[in-house]
Amino acid sequence: MLLDRTIAPDFKVINSIHLPEAQTHTLDNGVPLHVINIGEQPVIRIECIFEAGNWYEKEIGASYFAIKMLPEGTTSLSSGEISEAFDRLGAFTELTHTSDRIGVVVYCVSRFLPEVLPLISQLIHEASFPAHELQELRNITLQNLKVNKEKNAYLATTEFRARLFGTDHPYGQSQEEANIERLTLDAILDHYNRFIRNGKFTVVLAGQVSESDVALVNQTLGKDPVEGGQVKPAFIVSTSYQGEERVIEKAESVQSSIRMGRVLFNRHHEDYFKMLVTNELLGGYFGSRLMKNIREEKGLTYGISSHVVTLRNAGYFMIGTDVKKEFTQLTIDEIKKEINRLQTEPVSPEELATVKNFMAGEFAGSLNTAFEVADRQKVLLLDGLPNDFFNHYIDKIQAVTSEDVISMANSYLRPEDMIVVIAGGK
């Protein structure tokens, strides 16, 4: 039977999703182990997550260099030998760093977990921080920073966050040459010893996980004593950005990067889901109002988007795009025009339904693998959210009304409450 391509295939609205719950264990040393045991392939991802990002630094950059230096040498292995050991097992490693957390992530075939775990333990407890490798990492970081600072998008984004939160706030900080150059080995070692080598961490194990795998993790990572959680410093968010326009002039640039937005909230806020839908309508997907107006109708940009960014202790809303310099003000005016429409005109039932169905499908499509499910569960576990938070995701999205959108736009999308950062010029 030939397929009639003139007839659209049937579709089904996604009404609910159920995430497999994590099984939680406690290792002998008190470290929590969360297991997401799903997947058809015999592979495992193990993550050791430390509450040790920028929030806990005594010197700016210490947390970044502390985590990135772990595979550069231990008391018994050189950086080359560490790399060769993981390669021999077909294991892939990542070192993650955010303002809130740092972590060691390793992907491997399940049967090699007994050999991978001792290597992970060495990185955590026996890192040696050799001087030559530290200097190489410092040079690479400085070179990458130099390259990034030639990019308008990087300049606009870092300046945007600095203006939102303040340069003394962990969410407003960015790498600077002076901080990298004056960062001492003692400061890096202090961060490593307090938060990685002796600090309490969380282990997340995802994939095809057996009871023997759990026992192996306990035998390898559950024996070394760890100290209690560190007291988290408090930081005050800047509020002086409202209504400000900041222009970073670059005479040689033909384009400008625009960032526009404000401080918002994280997933714990009662308006979180309503704001997600409002954002999606404005600029969250390819069919959004900003894309239709500024890209399709006026041809001012290849792409424009808006985001609700959620961090552990805060969040922010941001609109971002790149346009020709001469179209900068026109683009900003059109952004404000679309915001005003959301604030004053009810969204049609058809447009609202399209957005909701897109969000439900996108969410369902982000749960195809064991590791993607683990990423969702990790958010719940680390940020203290209810276990059924994502199970009710679609219910919460579908419950948003046109009146809710108008309310959210008037409460959180007022241009006078936002900052505009332009890198390139007007």
Side-chain angles (χ1 to χ4, degrees):
M1 179 179 175
L2 293 176
L3 183 64
D4 188 349
R5 298 188 182 276
T6 65
I7 301 174
D10 293 333
F11 72 93
K12 182 179 180 181
V13 176
I14 300 171
N15 294 315
S16 63
I17 284 179
H18 178 74
L19 263 66
E21 290 190 12
Q23 299 172 329
T24 299
H25 308 263
T26 302
L27 305 185
D28 290 346
N29 57 1
V31 168
L33 165 64
H34 304 292
V35 178
I36 295 93
N37 185 18
I38 57 174
E40 299 179 358
Q41 302 299 324
V43 292
I44 281 178
R45 183 180 74 185
I46 181 168
E47 295 183 72
C48 298
I49 304 165
F50 305 84
E51 300 291 337
N54 297 351
W55 275 89
Y56 301 89
E57 289 177 336
K58 289 185 177 179
E59 292 189 27
I60 294 176
S63 62
Y64 176 83
F65 279 87
I67 192 68
K68 295 296 183 181
M69 280 296 295
L70 295 190
E72 298 302 323
T74 67
T75 53
S76 57
L77 295 173
S78 67
S79 60
E81 290 170 332
I82 292 170
S83 178
E84 182 182 346
F86 280 114
D87 287 346
R88 187 174 62 252
L89 300 171
F92 174 72
T93 61
E94 290 179 350
L95 302 165
T96 61
H97 176 270
T98 68
S99 298
D100 295 309
R101 304 181 182 95
I102 57 178
V104 178
V105 186
V106 179
Y107 298 81
C108 69
V109 177
S110 303
R111 62 190 176 94
F112 290 136
L113 187 63
E115 296 171 77
V116 166
L117 282 169
L119 291 172
I120 296 174
S121 181
Q122 276 201 55
L123 298 188
I124 293 173
H125 298 109
E126 300 176 25
S128 60
F129 294 83
H132 180 262
E133 280 74 5
L134 175 58
Q135 188 57 45
E136 280 197 348
L137 178 60
R138 198 190 303 266
N139 292 338
I140 291 170
T141 305
L142 286 168
Q143 183 61 34
N144 288 339
L145 180 58
K146 182 179 179 180
V147 171
N148 283 333
K149 285 195 169 184
E150 294 299 316
K151 303 173 183 176
N152 287 347
Y154 176 85
L155 293 174
T157 301
T158 54
E159 181 66 14
F160 175 78
R161 290 183 59 157
R163 293 283 171 165
L164 277 191
F165 294 99
T167 54
D168 293 331
H169 193 286
Y171 294 157
Q173 292 174 0
S174 61
Q175 290 183 332
E176 293 294 341
E177 291 91 340
N179 293 331
I180 295 170
E181 289 171 347
R182 68 168 170 255
L183 183 66
T184 64
L185 176 59
D186 286 343
I188 299 170
L189 285 173
D190 176 70
H191 198 86
Y192 164 71
N193 286 319
R194 285 192 300 136
F195 295 106
I196 301 177
R197 184 180 183 182
N198 300 309
K200 192 171 184 178
F201 57 99
T202 299
V203 182
V204 179
L205 203 59
Q208 276 195 4
V209 183
S210 65
E211 291 185 6
S212 61
D213 293 330
V214 174
L216 275 171
V217 173
N218 187 41
Q219 292 169 14
T220 310
L221 301 177
K223 301 307 177 185
D224 291 293
V226 295
E227 297 178 1
Q230 298 281 343
V231 176
K232 185 171 70 174
F235 294 91
I236 298 173
V237 176
S238 170
T239 57
S240 61
Y241 65 86
Q242 296 174 342
E244 181 184 354
E245 182 175 283
R246 167 81 167 114
V247 180
I248 303 171
E249 292 285 354
K250 291 188 70 179
E252 72 279 10
S253 294
V254 296
Q255 283 192 323
S256 291
S257 288
I258 301 170
R259 301 293 182 268
M260 179 177 177
R262 56 161 294 172
V263 172
L264 208 57
F265 40 71
N266 59 19
R267 293 182 179 89
H268 290 273
H269 197 277
E270 60 183 1
D271 289 336
Y272 174 69
F273 288 101
K274 296 176 185 178
M275 193 59 199
L276 282 186
V277 176
T278 304
N279 171 74
E280 202 78 10
L281 282 161
L282 179 64
Y285 75 120
F286 195 78
S288 69
R289 292 186 175 189
L290 289 178
M291 284 290 281
K292 287 178 179 177
N293 179 339
I294 295 170
R295 181 186 189 274
E296 295 180 17
E297 294 176 10
K298 295 185 173 60
L300 301 178
T301 180
Y302 282 112
I304 182 170
S305 59
S306 64
H307 310 271
V308 174
V309 181
T310 50
L311 306 166
R312 184 178 187 182
N313 301 294
Y316 60 91
F317 170 79
M318 184 181 77
I319 299 169
T321 188
D322 296 304
V323 299
K324 278 189 174 182
K325 272 187 180 181
E326 56 264 36
F327 298 143
T328 301
Q329 189 58 52
L330 174 59
T331 301
I332 294 170
D333 292 340
E334 290 299 320
I335 290 171
K336 292 179 179 179
K337 174 183 170 182
E338 291 302 332
I339 290 174
N340 180 259
R341 284 184 59 209
L342 278 180
Q343 292 172 331
T344 57
E345 301 174 11
V347 181
S348 70
E350 294 78 17
E351 184 181 12
L352 193 56
T354 297
V355 166
K356 290 177 179 180
N357 290 337
F358 174 83
M359 294 177 71
E362 186 179 48
F363 181 71
S366 70
L367 303 172
N368 289 324
T369 70
F371 302 148
E372 289 172 336
V373 173
D375 287 337
R376 296 290 184 178
Q377 286 288 4
K378 190 168 61 176
V379 171
L380 307 183
L381 297 166
L382 297 178
D383 287 351
L385 291 163
N387 292 335
D388 61 354
F389 180 85
F390 286 120
N391 292 338
H392 292 298
Y393 180 93
I394 293 176
D395 295 340
K396 299 283 189 181
I397 293 299
Q398 294 291 355
V400 177
T401 66
S402 177
E403 291 76 16
D404 290 331
V405 172
I406 291 176
S407 175
M408 293 299 100
N410 280 284
S411 296
Y412 303 115
L413 297 183
R414 295 186 301 176
E416 61 267 29
D417 291 339
M418 300 184 187
I419 183 175
V420 177
V421 175
I422 302 160
K426 294 182 68 173

